[in-house]
Amino acid sequence: MAENYVANEEYSKALRQLKLALRVCDSTEMKWIIYYNIAVVYFYLEDIDYSKGYLRKAQIIRDAEEIHLLFAQIYTKEQNFTAAEEEYKYLIKINPKNIDYALQLTNIYVLNKNYLKARKVLKNYVKSNPTDKNNPRFKNYGALKLFL
């Protein structure tokens, strides 16, 4: 039910359902899912401190790719680009085929006018994923994509 509330942007109702589920759940894996989803809802509500708190609770149970992605998004929203960079580097390391991670890290470098690092991210992505060399998602990167 909480998923429907989130889909309809009824975040307060989603939180109420998730917290109720948390009180009655009896498995560690279910707690992980609930903590993670509460963190996502708080992220949507832009309550970053609560989002990070619930994310850490989920991470104690099980560290996962989703945890690092949400932390990266939170750090980017906070403009803590150093922390976001570290999260995206970790995500690329564990999942080098995910173009979104490479593009998000590239965007952080471009935003901070670190074009050489941005180009290196794209170049390393294409080196690891040669079939993506002409991916249309690179079109916005102009000169950065030369000679990839």
Side-chain angles (χ1 to χ4, degrees):
M1 179 166 298
E3 186 177 340
N4 290 333
Y5 287 135
V6 171
N8 292 321
E9 298 181 11
E10 297 179 78
Y11 301 124
S12 296
K13 290 179 181 178
L15 279 175
R16 203 171 22 244
Q17 289 297 313
L18 288 165
K19 288 180 179 181
L20 178 65
L22 189 59
R23 278 184 272 176
V24 298
C25 81
D26 59 354
S27 77
T28 305
E29 184 59 23
M30 188 56 69
K31 279 185 183 179
W32 182 90
I33 292 167
I34 295 169
Y35 284 146
Y36 174 76
N37 282 296
I38 291 173
V40 169
V41 172
Y42 276 122
F43 178 76
Y44 290 149
L45 288 169
E46 297 188 13
D47 194 332
I48 300 303
D49 290 333
Y50 274 111
S51 183
K52 287 194 285 191
Y54 278 97
L55 207 48
R56 286 185 191 104
K57 288 180 180 188
Q59 192 172 34
I60 288 168
I61 294 171
R62 178 172 55 87
D63 199 12
E65 189 172 335
E66 299 94 324
I67 300 283
H68 291 275
L69 176 57
L70 188 53
F71 270 128
Q73 293 168 331
I74 287 169
Y75 294 141
T76 301
K77 185 179 263 293
E78 292 178 318
Q79 296 186 356
N80 181 348
F81 297 120
T82 302
E85 174 186 1
E86 292 307 311
E87 290 293 346
Y88 281 117
K89 283 181 178 178
Y90 175 79
L91 288 164
I92 290 167
K93 183 178 176 183
I94 64 169
N95 190 350
K97 293 193 178 298
N98 190 315
I99 191 171
D100 292 319
Y101 301 159
L103 294 179
Q104 289 302 322
L105 183 55
T106 299
N107 291 339
I108 288 170
Y109 287 142
V110 168
L111 188 64
N112 289 290
K113 296 179 175 49
N114 197 333
Y115 303 113
L116 291 176
K117 281 188 174 181
R119 186 175 186 291
K120 186 176 180 182
V121 171
L122 294 178
K123 189 173 183 173
N124 287 340
Y125 176 81
V126 169
K127 185 177 178 182
S128 297
N129 303 282
T131 58
D132 266 2
K133 183 175 183 169
N134 296 314
N135 190 310
R137 293 183 68 189
F138 291 139
K139 74 177 181 172
N140 295 328
Y141 294 95
L144 290 177
K145 65 181 183 147
L146 287 177
F147 310 111
L148 290 181

